[in-house]
Amino acid sequence: MTKRIFFLFSAAALLTPAIVAGPARAQQAPVAAPSAPALGYADLADLVIASPLVVDATIRSASRIKGAEAAGLTPGKTRFYVEADVSTLVRGATAIPARVGWLVDVAPDWRGRVPSLKKRRVLAFARPVAGQPGQLQLVEPGAQHDWSAALEQRVRAIASELAAPDAPPVITEVGNAFHVPGALPGEGETQIFLRTRDNRPAALSILRRPGEQPRWSIALSEIIDDSAPTPQRDTLLWYRLACALPASLPDRSTASLSPEDATQAQTDYGFVMEQLGPCRAAPSGDPAISAGAAPM
C-alpha cells in the first residue's frame, strides 16, 4: 500500500455569537503582558498557513463564557468572548471592520489565576465568519498571542515566503531513490525524488567524496545542482522538508535497488534528516496559548 505523507493541521470549530460591530473608538494604551515562551518556527508557520487573517488588535472588553457556550473547553482553561480594536491587518486580502470579536480559550496565568485580557495587545490568527463581518473565528481555540514587534516581524516574514512566486511546494510523498556508487571507495551519489501537492519537481541529492563531509541539496526544478546551498533552519523550505518527510526512507522507495545501494540510500536519507533536525522542539506546557503563559 502506498504510504502518503501529508502535513495535517487541525482547526477547532468555534461558534461565534451574532454581534454587530459598532464604531471604533479611540484606543487606550495597550497593557504589556508578561513575556511568554517564543513560538517555535514550525508552530508559528502552522498558524500563519492556517490563518487567512492575522490581526494586530487591542482587546477592548472580555466576557467570560460559561455553560453550553463553553462546550468542549479543555479542563483548566477559561473561554472568553473578546471585542478588540484593530490596529493592523498583518495578513489578509480582505478589509475588516475597525472593531471585531472572537472566542478564545486561555490557560491560567503564572499565578494560577484567570488572566486579565482587557487592554492587552494581541495577534489573532483567524478566519472570517460568513455573513458576520464583525466576527472572527480563531483557527485554534487559543490562537491569540501577545503582540511583540519580534513576533509580528516573524509572522510577516512567513507570510511573505508563502506569497512569493517561488514559494517551496508542499511535500506529499517520498518517491523513488537511486544510488550510483563512485569509482573510489566511499564515493557515490544518491538522489531521492519527492512528490508535491502541485506536481512541481523536487529531489534530494546527497553527494559523498572520499575524505570530505557528505553534502546534500534540494532541487525544486528539473535541474539538480549538487552545489546548491542547503536550506537554512527556520525558513519555509526547511519547514516543508523537516515537518513533512518521514523519519526513515520508505522501503518502497528502494525496492528497485540492490541491497547495497538500498542500504546506502537509507544512510544518505538519514544524513539529510539529521542535518534538518526535528520539525519542532519537545513541547513544554501549552505553546498554543500565550495569554496565560508564565514569564521565562
Side-chain angles (χ1 to χ4, degrees):
M1 180 182 294
T2 300
K3 180 181 177 183
R4 300 187 64 81
I5 302 99
F6 285 96
F7 181 77
L8 300 179
F9 184 88
S10 298
L14 295 178
L15 297 178
T16 56
I19 297 179
V20 178
R25 299 178 185 174
Q27 294 187 23
Q28 296 174 298
V31 172
S35 59
L39 281 169
Y41 184 91
D43 294 319
L44 188 56
D46 288 350
L47 285 175
V48 176
I49 290 169
S51 304
L53 300 172
V54 180
V55 178
D56 172 3
T58 299
I59 296 175
R60 178 182 182 82
S61 64
S63 303
R64 188 168 180 174
I65 302 297
K66 301 179 181 180
E69 291 182 311
L73 182 66
T74 301
K77 295 181 180 176
T78 305
R79 181 166 297 169
F80 289 92
Y81 175 72
V82 304
E83 287 192 329
D85 294 323
V86 177
S87 300
T88 308
L89 188 58
V90 177
R91 186 186 191 210
T94 304
I96 63 173
R99 186 174 301 159
V100 293
W102 63 81
L103 291 175
V104 61
D105 296 353
V106 298
D109 64 16
W110 59 277
R111 299 165 297 181
R113 301 176 184 174
V114 176
S116 174
L117 300 182
K118 190 175 180 181
K119 300 182 182 179
R120 182 168 288 189
R121 186 176 178 183
V122 299
L123 288 181
F125 297 81
R127 61 176 66 90
V129 176
Q132 299 185 54
Q135 300 299 302
L136 303 180
Q137 181 187 59
L138 299 186
V139 296
E140 292 180 355
Q144 165 188 298
H145 294 267
D146 296 323
W147 179 93
S148 71
L151 179 59
E152 180 175 334
Q153 183 178 21
R154 293 173 67 207
V155 169
R156 289 185 181 276
I158 294 171
S160 295
E161 284 193 277
L162 286 168
D166 59 348
V170 176
I171 307 299
T172 59
E173 189 176 2
V174 178
N176 292 330
F178 300 91
H179 177 73
V180 179
L184 301 174
E187 186 178 46
E189 181 174 7
T190 297
Q191 292 181 1
I192 302 168
F193 292 90
L194 309 176
R195 297 189 178 98
T196 62
R197 181 181 294 172
D198 58 0
N199 295 319
R200 276 192 281 167
L204 300 171
S205 178
I206 304 94
L207 186 64
R208 292 180 182 268
R209 291 188 176 129
E212 298 181 10
Q213 287 293 321
R215 187 170 69 247
W216 75 278
S217 60
I218 171 75
L220 298 177
S221 68
E222 299 290 351
I223 300 174
I224 296 178
D225 182 2
D226 294 330
S227 64
T230 57
Q232 294 297 307
R233 187 177 177 86
D234 294 353
T235 61
L236 189 59
L237 179 54
W238 169 85
Y239 167 86
R240 293 299 194 201
L241 295 170
C243 299
L245 294 177
S248 59
L249 191 62
D251 290 341
R252 57 175 172 71
S253 297
T254 60
S256 63
L257 302 182
S258 68
E260 295 79 9
D261 289 349
T263 298
Q264 187 60 57
Q266 287 281 5
T267 299
D268 288 343
Y269 181 85
F271 170 73
V272 171
M273 297 306 295
E274 180 183 348
Q275 293 295 301
L276 286 170
C279 168
R280 63 193 83 232
S284 57
D286 189 345
I289 300 174
S290 66
M296 297 294 287

